[in-house]
PDB file of all heavy atoms in Angstrom:
ATOM      1  N   ARG A   1      82.664  68.598 157.824  1.00 92.00           N
ATOM      2  CA  ARG A   1      82.401  68.141 156.447  1.00 92.00           C
ATOM      3  C   ARG A   1      82.851  69.322 155.501  1.00 92.00           C
ATOM      4  O   ARG A   1      82.664  70.462 155.842  1.00 92.00           O
ATOM      5  CB  ARG A   1      80.922  67.870 156.082  1.00 92.00           C
ATOM      6  CG  ARG A   1      80.367  66.724 156.813  1.00 92.00           C
ATOM      7  CD  ARG A   1      80.972  65.350 156.308  1.00 92.00           C
ATOM      8  NE  ARG A   1      80.311  64.266 156.868  1.00 92.00           N
ATOM      9  CZ  ARG A   1      80.658  63.680 157.993  1.00 92.00           C
ATOM     10  NH1 ARG A   1      81.729  64.086 158.643  1.00 92.00           N
ATOM     11  NH2 ARG A   1      80.029  62.539 158.408  1.00 92.00           N
ATOM     12  N   LEU A   2      83.332  68.886 154.318  1.00 90.00           N
ATOM     13  CA  LEU A   2      83.653  69.895 153.198  1.00 90.00           C
ATOM     14  C   LEU A   2      82.492  69.992 152.314  1.00 90.00           C
ATOM     15  O   LEU A   2      81.905  68.964 151.908  1.00 90.00           O
ATOM     16  CB  LEU A   2      84.840  69.445 152.428  1.00 90.00           C
ATOM     17  CG  LEU A   2      86.196  69.154 153.331  1.00 90.00           C
ATOM     18  CD1 LEU A   2      87.286  68.729 152.481  1.00 90.00           C
ATOM     19  CD2 LEU A   2      86.540  70.461 154.048  1.00 90.00           C
ATOM     20  N   ALA A   3      82.097  71.196 151.964  1.00 85.00           N
ATOM     21  CA  ALA A   3      80.942  71.425 151.192  1.00 85.00           C
ATOM     22  C   ALA A   3      80.909  70.737 149.835  1.00 85.00           C
ATOM     23  O   ALA A   3      80.055  70.144 149.302  1.00 85.00           O
ATOM     24  CB  ALA A   3      80.585  72.912 151.099  1.00 85.00           C
ATOM     25  N   GLY A   4      82.160  70.940 149.110  1.00 78.00           N
ATOM     26  CA  GLY A   4      82.161  70.450 147.796  1.00 78.00           C
ATOM     27  C   GLY A   4      81.430  71.308 146.805  1.00 78.00           C
ATOM     28  O   GLY A   4      80.580  72.105 147.123  1.00 78.00           O
ATOM     29  N   LEU A   5      81.722  71.152 145.501  1.00 74.00           N
ATOM     30  CA  LEU A   5      81.075  71.960 144.421  1.00 74.00           C
ATOM     31  C   LEU A   5      79.532  71.562 144.370  1.00 74.00           C
ATOM     32  O   LEU A   5      78.715  72.426 143.938  1.00 74.00           O
ATOM     33  CB  LEU A   5      81.750  71.727 143.123  1.00 74.00           C
ATOM     34  CG  LEU A   5      83.226  72.205 143.112  1.00 74.00           C
ATOM     35  CD1 LEU A   5      83.858  71.927 141.749  1.00 74.00           C
ATOM     36  CD2 LEU A   5      83.308  73.832 143.306  1.00 74.00           C
ATOM     37  N   ASP A   6      79.264  70.288 144.630  1.00 76.00           N
ATOM     38  CA  ASP A   6      77.905  69.903 144.422  1.00 76.00           C
ATOM     39  C   ASP A   6      77.088  69.807 145.678  1.00 76.00           C
ATOM     40  O   ASP A   6      75.840  69.534 145.719  1.00 76.00           O
ATOM     41  CB  ASP A   6      77.852  68.558 143.670  1.00 76.00           C
ATOM     42  CG  ASP A   6      78.571  67.387 144.333  1.00 76.00           C
ATOM     43  OD1 ASP A   6      79.075  67.704 145.476  1.00 76.00           O
ATOM     44  OD2 ASP A   6      78.749  66.360 143.856  1.00 76.00           O
ATOM     45  N   GLY A   7      77.714  70.110 146.791  1.00 75.00           N
ATOM     46  CA  GLY A   7      76.979  70.015 148.139  1.00 75.00           C
ATOM     47  C   GLY A   7      76.769  68.652 148.691  1.00 75.00           C
ATOM     48  O   GLY A   7      76.307  68.563 149.838  1.00 75.00           O
ATOM     49  N   LYS A   8      77.239  67.534 148.017  1.00 78.00           N
ATOM     50  CA  LYS A   8      76.981  66.249 148.488  1.00 78.00           C
ATOM     51  C   LYS A   8      77.820  65.925 149.776  1.00 78.00           C
ATOM     52  O   LYS A   8      77.478  65.125 150.482  1.00 78.00           O
ATOM     53  CB  LYS A   8      77.333  65.253 147.421  1.00 78.00           C
ATOM     54  CG  LYS A   8      76.387  65.337 146.249  1.00 78.00           C
ATOM     55  CD  LYS A   8      76.612  64.217 145.185  1.00 78.00           C
ATOM     56  CE  LYS A   8      75.655  64.272 144.047  1.00 78.00           C
ATOM     57  NZ  LYS A   8      75.957  63.273 142.998  1.00 78.00           N
ATOM     58  N   GLY A   9      78.888  66.685 149.940  1.00 80.00           N
ATOM     59  CA  GLY A   9      79.715  66.471 151.159  1.00 80.00           C
ATOM     60  C   GLY A   9      78.960  66.772 152.416  1.00 80.00           C
ATOM     61  O   GLY A   9      79.330  66.398 153.579  1.00 80.00           O
ATOM     62  N   LEU A  10      77.800  67.565 152.375  1.00 82.00           N
ATOM     63  CA  LEU A  10      77.095  67.911 153.570  1.00 82.00           C
ATOM     64  C   LEU A  10      75.934  66.957 153.739  1.00 82.00           C
ATOM     65  O   LEU A  10      75.070  67.164 154.722  1.00 82.00           O
ATOM     66  CB  LEU A  10      76.556  69.297 153.507  1.00 82.00           C
ATOM     67  CG  LEU A  10      77.624  70.412 153.355  1.00 82.00           C
ATOM     68  CD1 LEU A  10      77.118  71.811 153.233  1.00 82.00           C
ATOM     69  CD2 LEU A  10      78.622  70.298 154.526  1.00 82.00           C
ATOM     70  N   LYS A  11      75.697  65.925 152.973  1.00 81.00           N
ATOM     71  CA  LYS A  11      74.597  65.031 153.148  1.00 81.00           C
ATOM     72  C   LYS A  11      75.017  64.054 154.286  1.00 81.00           C
ATOM     73  O   LYS A  11      76.168  63.740 154.515  1.00 81.00           O
ATOM     74  CB  LYS A  11      74.434  64.097 151.909  1.00 81.00           C
ATOM     75  CG  LYS A  11      73.663  64.943 150.811  1.00 81.00           C
ATOM     76  CD  LYS A  11      73.426  63.987 149.565  1.00 81.00           C
ATOM     77  CE  LYS A  11      72.523  64.641 148.619  1.00 81.00           C
ATOM     78  NZ  LYS A  11      72.226  63.795 147.460  1.00 81.00           N
ATOM     79  N   GLY A  12      74.088  63.533 154.996  1.00 79.00           N
ATOM     80  CA  GLY A  12      74.182  62.546 156.043  1.00 79.00           C
ATOM     81  C   GLY A  12      74.082  63.058 157.421  1.00 79.00           C
ATOM     82  O   GLY A  12      73.219  62.514 158.177  1.00 79.00           O
ATOM     83  N   PRO A  13      74.807  64.029 157.857  1.00 84.00           N
ATOM     84  CA  PRO A  13      74.782  64.509 159.308  1.00 84.00           C
ATOM     85  C   PRO A  13      73.403  65.201 159.513  1.00 84.00           C
ATOM     86  O   PRO A  13      72.822  65.823 158.585  1.00 84.00           O
ATOM     87  CB  PRO A  13      75.903  65.498 159.407  1.00 84.00           C
ATOM     88  CG  PRO A  13      76.830  65.255 158.266  1.00 84.00           C
ATOM     89  CD  PRO A  13      76.037  64.741 157.158  1.00 84.00           C
ATOM     90  N   HIS A  14      72.896  65.122 160.786  1.00 88.00           N
ATOM     91  CA  HIS A  14      71.685  65.800 161.208  1.00 88.00           C
ATOM     92  C   HIS A  14      72.018  66.360 162.525  1.00 88.00           C
ATOM     93  O   HIS A  14      71.649  65.918 163.550  1.00 88.00           O
ATOM     94  CB  HIS A  14      70.551  64.747 161.334  1.00 88.00           C
ATOM     95  CG  HIS A  14      70.112  64.240 159.915  1.00 88.00           C
ATOM     96  ND1 HIS A  14      69.327  64.978 159.081  1.00 88.00           N
ATOM     97  CD2 HIS A  14      70.460  63.169 159.349  1.00 88.00           C
ATOM     98  CE1 HIS A  14      69.135  64.374 158.016  1.00 88.00           C
ATOM     99  NE2 HIS A  14      69.780  63.222 158.111  1.00 88.00           N
ATOM    100  N   PRO A  15      72.704  67.555 162.446  1.00 92.00           N
ATOM    101  CA  PRO A  15      73.229  68.148 163.795  1.00 92.00           C
ATOM    102  C   PRO A  15      72.147  69.071 164.376  1.00 92.00           C
ATOM    103  O   PRO A  15      71.166  69.475 163.795  1.00 92.00           O
ATOM    104  CB  PRO A  15      74.347  69.045 163.228  1.00 92.00           C
ATOM    105  CG  PRO A  15      73.991  69.391 161.821  1.00 92.00           C
ATOM    106  CD  PRO A  15      73.175  68.244 161.277  1.00 92.00           C
ATOM    107  N   VAL A  16      72.429  69.385 165.685  1.00 93.00           N
ATOM    108  CA  VAL A  16      71.717  70.407 166.377  1.00 93.00           C
ATOM    109  C   VAL A  16      72.218  71.817 166.037  1.00 93.00           C
ATOM    110  O   VAL A  16      71.490  72.819 165.988  1.00 93.00           O
ATOM    111  CB  VAL A  16      71.670  70.132 167.855  1.00 93.00           C
ATOM    112  CG1 VAL A  16      71.190  71.315 168.668  1.00 93.00           C
ATOM    113  CG2 VAL A  16      70.823  68.943 168.092  1.00 93.00           C
ATOM    114  N   MET A  17      73.531  71.789 165.886  1.00 93.00           N
ATOM    115  CA  MET A  17      74.231  73.131 165.630  1.00 93.00           C
ATOM    116  C   MET A  17      75.087  73.032 164.404  1.00 93.00           C
ATOM    117  O   MET A  17      75.751  71.983 164.159  1.00 93.00           O
ATOM    118  CB  MET A  17      75.040  73.487 166.847  1.00 93.00           C
ATOM    119  CG  MET A  17      74.306  73.523 168.139  1.00 93.00           C
ATOM    120  SD  MET A  17      75.485  73.587 169.577  1.00 93.00           S
ATOM    121  CE  MET A  17      76.050  75.232 169.381  1.00 93.00           C
ATOM    122  N   ILE A  18      75.129  74.081 163.565  1.00 93.00           N
ATOM    123  CA  ILE A  18      75.960  74.151 162.443  1.00 93.00           C
ATOM    124  C   ILE A  18      76.750  75.420 162.465  1.00 93.00           C
ATOM    125  O   ILE A  18      76.267  76.564 162.693  1.00 93.00           O
ATOM    126  CB  ILE A  18      75.096  74.210 161.046  1.00 93.00           C
ATOM    127  CG1 ILE A  18      74.278  72.940 160.990  1.00 93.00           C
ATOM    128  CG2 ILE A  18      76.001  74.355 159.886  1.00 93.00           C
ATOM    129  CD1 ILE A  18      73.307  72.881 159.757  1.00 93.00           C
ATOM    130  N   GLU A  19      78.102  75.296 162.269  1.00 94.00           N
ATOM    131  CA  GLU A  19      78.934  76.387 162.034  1.00 94.00           C
ATOM    132  C   GLU A  19      79.573  76.406 160.668  1.00 94.00           C
ATOM    133  O   GLU A  19      80.294  75.388 160.364  1.00 94.00           O
ATOM    134  CB  GLU A  19      80.089  76.410 163.123  1.00 94.00           C
ATOM    135  CG  GLU A  19      79.620  76.456 164.597  1.00 94.00           C
ATOM    136  CD  GLU A  19      79.264  77.840 164.985  1.00 94.00           C
ATOM    137  OE1 GLU A  19      79.665  78.869 164.290  1.00 94.00           O
ATOM    138  OE2 GLU A  19      78.573  77.985 166.005  1.00 94.00           O
ATOM    139  N   MET A  20      79.275  77.336 159.821  1.00 92.00           N
ATOM    140  CA  MET A  20      79.818  77.370 158.505  1.00 92.00           C
ATOM    141  C   MET A  20      80.825  78.539 158.430  1.00 92.00           C
ATOM    142  O   MET A  20      80.498  79.716 158.713  1.00 92.00           O
ATOM    143  CB  MET A  20      78.642  77.613 157.500  1.00 92.00           C
ATOM    144  CG  MET A  20      77.735  76.495 157.360  1.00 92.00           C
ATOM    145  SD  MET A  20      76.440  76.801 156.203  1.00 92.00           S
ATOM    146  CE  MET A  20      77.296  76.856 154.648  1.00 92.00           C
ATOM    147  N   ASP A  21      82.025  78.270 158.025  1.00 93.00           N
ATOM    148  CA  ASP A  21      83.103  79.191 157.783  1.00 93.00           C
ATOM    149  C   ASP A  21      83.317  79.529 156.393  1.00 93.00           C
ATOM    150  O   ASP A  21      83.146  78.609 155.504  1.00 93.00           O
ATOM    151  CB  ASP A  21      84.368  78.795 158.475  1.00 93.00           C
ATOM    152  CG  ASP A  21      85.314  79.893 158.612  1.00 93.00           C
ATOM    153  OD1 ASP A  21      84.933  81.082 158.955  1.00 93.00           O
ATOM    154  OD2 ASP A  21      86.519  79.655 158.473  1.00 93.00           O
ATOM    155  N   GLU A  22      83.737  80.739 156.028  1.00 90.00           N
ATOM    156  CA  GLU A  22      83.916  81.215 154.640  1.00 90.00           C
ATOM    157  C   GLU A  22      82.700  80.927 153.822  1.00 90.00           C
ATOM    158  O   GLU A  22      82.672  80.415 152.751  1.00 90.00           O
ATOM    159  CB  GLU A  22      85.124  80.483 153.941  1.00 90.00           C
ATOM    160  CG  GLU A  22      86.431  80.701 154.699  1.00 90.00           C
ATOM    161  CD  GLU A  22      86.885  82.161 154.757  1.00 90.00           C
ATOM    162  OE1 GLU A  22      86.352  82.988 153.869  1.00 90.00           O
ATOM    163  OE2 GLU A  22      87.726  82.499 155.467  1.00 90.00           O
ATOM    164  N   GLY A  23      81.515  81.270 154.428  1.00 89.00           N
ATOM    165  CA  GLY A  23      80.249  80.998 153.856  1.00 89.00           C
ATOM    166  C   GLY A  23      79.996  81.652 152.478  1.00 89.00           C
ATOM    167  O   GLY A  23      79.241  81.097 151.734  1.00 89.00           O
ATOM    168  N   GLN A  24      80.767  82.632 152.183  1.00 87.00           N
ATOM    169  CA  GLN A  24      80.590  83.291 150.802  1.00 87.00           C
ATOM    170  C   GLN A  24      81.136  82.355 149.713  1.00 87.00           C
ATOM    171  O   GLN A  24      80.772  82.582 148.552  1.00 87.00           O
ATOM    172  CB  GLN A  24      81.287  84.666 150.824  1.00 87.00           C
ATOM    173  CG  GLN A  24      82.769  84.648 150.716  1.00 87.00           C
ATOM    174  CD  GLN A  24      83.515  84.380 152.058  1.00 87.00           C
ATOM    175  OE1 GLN A  24      82.817  84.289 153.051  1.00 87.00           O
ATOM    176  NE2 GLN A  24      84.817  84.229 152.026  1.00 87.00           N
ATOM    177  N   ASP A  25      81.948  81.470 150.090  1.00 88.00           N
ATOM    178  CA  ASP A  25      82.547  80.485 149.056  1.00 88.00           C
ATOM    179  C   ASP A  25      81.879  79.204 148.963  1.00 88.00           C
ATOM    180  O   ASP A  25      82.247  78.374 148.198  1.00 88.00           O
ATOM    181  CB  ASP A  25      84.060  80.362 149.402  1.00 88.00           C
ATOM    182  CG  ASP A  25      84.901  81.595 149.193  1.00 88.00           C
ATOM    183  OD1 ASP A  25      84.448  82.504 148.276  1.00 88.00           O
ATOM    184  OD2 ASP A  25      85.883  81.827 149.960  1.00 88.00           O
ATOM    185  N   ILE A  26      80.903  78.936 149.889  1.00 88.00           N
ATOM    186  CA  ILE A  26      80.162  77.677 149.747  1.00 88.00           C
ATOM    187  C   ILE A  26      79.039  77.822 148.699  1.00 88.00           C
ATOM    188  O   ILE A  26      78.292  78.759 148.696  1.00 88.00           O
ATOM    189  CB  ILE A  26      79.494  77.391 151.105  1.00 88.00           C
ATOM    190  CG1 ILE A  26      80.659  77.016 152.097  1.00 88.00           C
ATOM    191  CG2 ILE A  26      78.500  76.265 151.047  1.00 88.00           C
ATOM    192  CD1 ILE A  26      80.107  76.676 153.568  1.00 88.00           C
ATOM    193  N   PRO A  27      79.055  76.874 147.773  1.00 87.00           N
ATOM    194  CA  PRO A  27      78.066  76.931 146.598  1.00 87.00           C
ATOM    195  C   PRO A  27      76.694  76.805 146.973  1.00 87.00           C
ATOM    196  O   PRO A  27      76.339  76.264 147.979  1.00 87.00           O
ATOM    197  CB  PRO A  27      78.559  75.884 145.674  1.00 87.00           C
ATOM    198  CG  PRO A  27      79.154  74.863 146.557  1.00 87.00           C
ATOM    199  CD  PRO A  27      79.856  75.739 147.557  1.00 87.00           C
ATOM    200  N   GLU A  28      75.789  77.299 146.079  1.00 87.00           N
ATOM    201  CA  GLU A  28      74.319  77.226 146.493  1.00 87.00           C
ATOM    202  C   GLU A  28      73.905  75.844 146.656  1.00 87.00           C
ATOM    203  O   GLU A  28      72.957  75.538 147.433  1.00 87.00           O
ATOM    204  CB  GLU A  28      73.554  77.950 145.400  1.00 87.00           C
ATOM    205  CG  GLU A  28      72.065  78.004 145.636  1.00 87.00           C
ATOM    206  CD  GLU A  28      71.344  78.940 144.671  1.00 87.00           C
ATOM    207  OE1 GLU A  28      71.999  79.766 144.040  1.00 87.00           O
ATOM    208  OE2 GLU A  28      70.079  78.860 144.755  1.00 87.00           O
ATOM    209  N   ALA A  29      74.425  74.836 145.773  1.00 86.00           N
ATOM    210  CA  ALA A  29      74.090  73.458 145.932  1.00 86.00           C
ATOM    211  C   ALA A  29      74.256  72.919 147.300  1.00 86.00           C
ATOM    212  O   ALA A  29      73.495  72.159 147.901  1.00 86.00           O
ATOM    213  CB  ALA A  29      74.829  72.634 144.984  1.00 86.00           C
ATOM    214  N   ALA A  30      75.389  73.445 147.998  1.00 88.00           N
ATOM    215  CA  ALA A  30      75.618  72.946 149.350  1.00 88.00           C
ATOM    216  C   ALA A  30      74.652  73.545 150.346  1.00 88.00           C
ATOM    217  O   ALA A  30      74.215  72.869 151.222  1.00 88.00           O
ATOM    218  CB  ALA A  30      77.119  73.386 149.739  1.00 88.00           C
ATOM    219  N   TYR A  31      74.227  74.799 150.117  1.00 88.00           N
ATOM    220  CA  TYR A  31      73.275  75.402 150.979  1.00 88.00           C
ATOM    221  C   TYR A  31      71.910  74.666 150.877  1.00 88.00           C
ATOM    222  O   TYR A  31      71.199  74.395 151.855  1.00 88.00           O
ATOM    223  CB  TYR A  31      73.003  76.925 150.613  1.00 88.00           C
ATOM    224  CG  TYR A  31      73.935  77.816 151.173  1.00 88.00           C
ATOM    225  CD1 TYR A  31      74.981  78.377 150.458  1.00 88.00           C
ATOM    226  CD2 TYR A  31      73.842  78.217 152.509  1.00 88.00           C
ATOM    227  CE1 TYR A  31      75.873  79.207 151.011  1.00 88.00           C
ATOM    228  CE2 TYR A  31      74.696  79.128 153.067  1.00 88.00           C
ATOM    229  CZ  TYR A  31      75.710  79.556 152.351  1.00 88.00           C
ATOM    230  OH  TYR A  31      76.635  80.436 152.960  1.00 88.00           O
ATOM    231  N   MET A  32      71.571  74.191 149.703  1.00 87.00           N
ATOM    232  CA  MET A  32      70.339  73.442 149.461  1.00 87.00           C
ATOM    233  C   MET A  32      70.380  72.147 150.244  1.00 87.00           C
ATOM    234  O   MET A  32      69.298  71.639 150.723  1.00 87.00           O
ATOM    235  CB  MET A  32      70.181  73.228 148.025  1.00 87.00           C
ATOM    236  CG  MET A  32      69.903  74.518 147.177  1.00 87.00           C
ATOM    237  SD  MET A  32      68.363  75.329 147.673  1.00 87.00           S
ATOM    238  CE  MET A  32      69.080  76.713 148.592  1.00 87.00           C
ATOM    239  N   GLU A  33      71.570  71.505 150.339  1.00 84.00           N
ATOM    240  CA  GLU A  33      71.678  70.217 150.984  1.00 84.00           C
ATOM    241  C   GLU A  33      71.630  70.471 152.497  1.00 84.00           C
ATOM    242  O   GLU A  33      71.044  69.631 153.177  1.00 84.00           O
ATOM    243  CB  GLU A  33      72.946  69.648 150.568  1.00 84.00           C
ATOM    244  CG  GLU A  33      73.080  69.120 149.206  1.00 84.00           C
ATOM    245  CD  GLU A  33      72.017  67.916 148.908  1.00 84.00           C
ATOM    246  OE1 GLU A  33      71.502  67.264 149.877  1.00 84.00           O
ATOM    247  OE2 GLU A  33      71.774  67.722 147.716  1.00 84.00           O
ATOM    248  N   ILE A  34      72.065  71.492 152.976  1.00 85.00           N
ATOM    249  CA  ILE A  34      72.268  71.635 154.518  1.00 85.00           C
ATOM    250  C   ILE A  34      71.052  72.101 155.001  1.00 85.00           C
ATOM    251  O   ILE A  34      70.761  71.994 156.281  1.00 85.00           O
ATOM    252  CB  ILE A  34      73.472  72.630 154.767  1.00 85.00           C
ATOM    253  CG1 ILE A  34      74.037  72.364 156.187  1.00 85.00           C
ATOM    254  CG2 ILE A  34      73.033  74.072 154.805  1.00 85.00           C
ATOM    255  CD1 ILE A  34      75.343  72.935 156.525  1.00 85.00           C
ATOM    256  N   ILE A  35      70.132  72.700 154.311  1.00 85.00           N
ATOM    257  CA  ILE A  35      68.889  73.312 154.918  1.00 85.00           C
ATOM    258  C   ILE A  35      68.135  72.284 155.712  1.00 85.00           C
ATOM    259  O   ILE A  35      67.573  72.497 156.723  1.00 85.00           O
ATOM    260  CB  ILE A  35      67.931  74.006 153.817  1.00 85.00           C
ATOM    261  CG1 ILE A  35      68.701  75.223 153.282  1.00 85.00           C
ATOM    262  CG2 ILE A  35      66.578  74.334 154.315  1.00 85.00           C
ATOM    263  CD1 ILE A  35      68.025  75.938 152.169  1.00 85.00           C
ATOM    264  N   GLU A  36      67.937  71.108 155.087  1.00 83.00           N
ATOM    265  CA  GLU A  36      67.133  70.003 155.675  1.00 83.00           C
ATOM    266  C   GLU A  36      67.882  69.229 156.685  1.00 83.00           C
ATOM    267  O   GLU A  36      67.252  68.291 157.284  1.00 83.00           O
ATOM    268  CB  GLU A  36      66.518  69.209 154.616  1.00 83.00           C
ATOM    269  CG  GLU A  36      65.556  69.868 153.591  1.00 83.00           C
ATOM    270  CD  GLU A  36      64.458  70.571 154.265  1.00 83.00           C
ATOM    271  OE1 GLU A  36      63.974  69.915 155.389  1.00 83.00           O
ATOM    272  OE2 GLU A  36      63.984  71.579 153.809  1.00 83.00           O
ATOM    273  N   THR A  37      69.159  69.446 156.864  1.00 84.00           N
ATOM    274  CA  THR A  37      69.849  68.523 157.820  1.00 84.00           C
ATOM    275  C   THR A  37      69.754  68.993 159.295  1.00 84.00           C
ATOM    276  O   THR A  37      69.738  68.115 160.147  1.00 84.00           O
ATOM    277  CB  THR A  37      71.312  68.491 157.402  1.00 84.00           C
ATOM    278  OG1 THR A  37      71.937  69.766 157.602  1.00 84.00           O
ATOM    279  CG2 THR A  37      71.617  68.054 156.025  1.00 84.00           C
ATOM    280  N   ILE A  38      69.693  70.281 159.545  1.00 86.00           N
ATOM    281  CA  ILE A  38      69.701  70.785 160.978  1.00 86.00           C
ATOM    282  C   ILE A  38      68.395  70.428 161.571  1.00 86.00           C
ATOM    283  O   ILE A  38      67.242  70.456 161.042  1.00 86.00           O
ATOM    284  CB  ILE A  38      69.989  72.247 160.983  1.00 86.00           C
ATOM    285  CG1 ILE A  38      70.102  72.701 162.470  1.00 86.00           C
ATOM    286  CG2 ILE A  38      68.984  73.060 160.270  1.00 86.00           C
ATOM    287  CD1 ILE A  38      70.680  74.162 162.588  1.00 86.00           C
ATOM    288  N   LYS A  39      68.454  69.958 162.869  1.00 88.00           N
ATOM    289  CA  LYS A  39      67.275  69.698 163.617  1.00 88.00           C
ATOM    290  C   LYS A  39      66.658  70.992 164.220  1.00 88.00           C
ATOM    291  O   LYS A  39      66.944  71.361 165.367  1.00 88.00           O
ATOM    292  CB  LYS A  39      67.598  68.672 164.739  1.00 88.00           C
ATOM    293  CG  LYS A  39      67.990  67.301 164.233  1.00 88.00           C
ATOM    294  CD  LYS A  39      68.463  66.325 165.376  1.00 88.00           C
ATOM    295  CE  LYS A  39      68.824  65.005 164.747  1.00 88.00           C
ATOM    296  NZ  LYS A  39      69.258  64.099 165.901  1.00 88.00           N
ATOM    297  N   VAL A  40      65.885  71.693 163.402  1.00 85.00           N
ATOM    298  CA  VAL A  40      65.412  73.012 163.777  1.00 85.00           C
ATOM    299  C   VAL A  40      64.643  73.093 165.026  1.00 85.00           C
ATOM    300  O   VAL A  40      64.446  74.175 165.692  1.00 85.00           O
ATOM    301  CB  VAL A  40      64.644  73.659 162.540  1.00 85.00           C
ATOM    302  CG1 VAL A  40      65.541  73.935 161.423  1.00 85.00           C
ATOM    303  CG2 VAL A  40      63.453  72.811 162.144  1.00 85.00           C
ATOM    304  N   ASN A  41      63.966  72.010 165.412  1.00 86.00           N
ATOM    305  CA  ASN A  41      63.007  71.998 166.503  1.00 86.00           C
ATOM    306  C   ASN A  41      63.742  71.601 167.834  1.00 86.00           C
ATOM    307  O   ASN A  41      63.056  71.543 168.950  1.00 86.00           O
ATOM    308  CB  ASN A  41      61.876  71.032 166.242  1.00 86.00           C
ATOM    309  CG  ASN A  41      60.953  71.488 165.132  1.00 86.00           C
ATOM    310  OD1 ASN A  41      60.714  72.641 165.042  1.00 86.00           O
ATOM    311  ND2 ASN A  41      60.510  70.562 164.294  1.00 86.00           N
ATOM    312  N   ALA A  42      65.054  71.353 167.847  1.00 87.00           N
ATOM    313  CA  ALA A  42      65.761  70.961 168.986  1.00 87.00           C
ATOM    314  C   ALA A  42      65.874  72.267 169.792  1.00 87.00           C
ATOM    315  O   ALA A  42      65.918  73.365 169.306  1.00 87.00           O
ATOM    316  CB  ALA A  42      67.194  70.436 168.660  1.00 87.00           C
TER     317      ALA A  42
END
């Protein structure tokens, strides 16, 4: 998924593992969206 300026590109998936590349260029809105997507208890 591409993060996008508003972070909406990261909505939907619920992965066990997340790999984010070029994390310094991903906007805060995208971080806010991805926090709740990962299955932290897996």
Side-chain angles (χ1 to χ4, degrees):
R1 292 291 187 274
L2 303 180
L5 295 177
D6 56 6
K8 292 182 178 179
L10 300 181
K11 285 186 173 182
H14 291 281
V16 167
M17 305 168 68
I18 298 176
E19 298 282 345
M20 294 177 66
D21 193 38
E22 301 295 343
Q24 76 280 356
D25 294 328
I26 291 180
E28 184 166 346
Y31 277 101
M32 293 299 101
E33 291 294 341
I34 206 169
I35 289 172
E36 297 300 330
T37 64
I38 186 170
K39 297 179 178 179
V40 294
N41 295 318

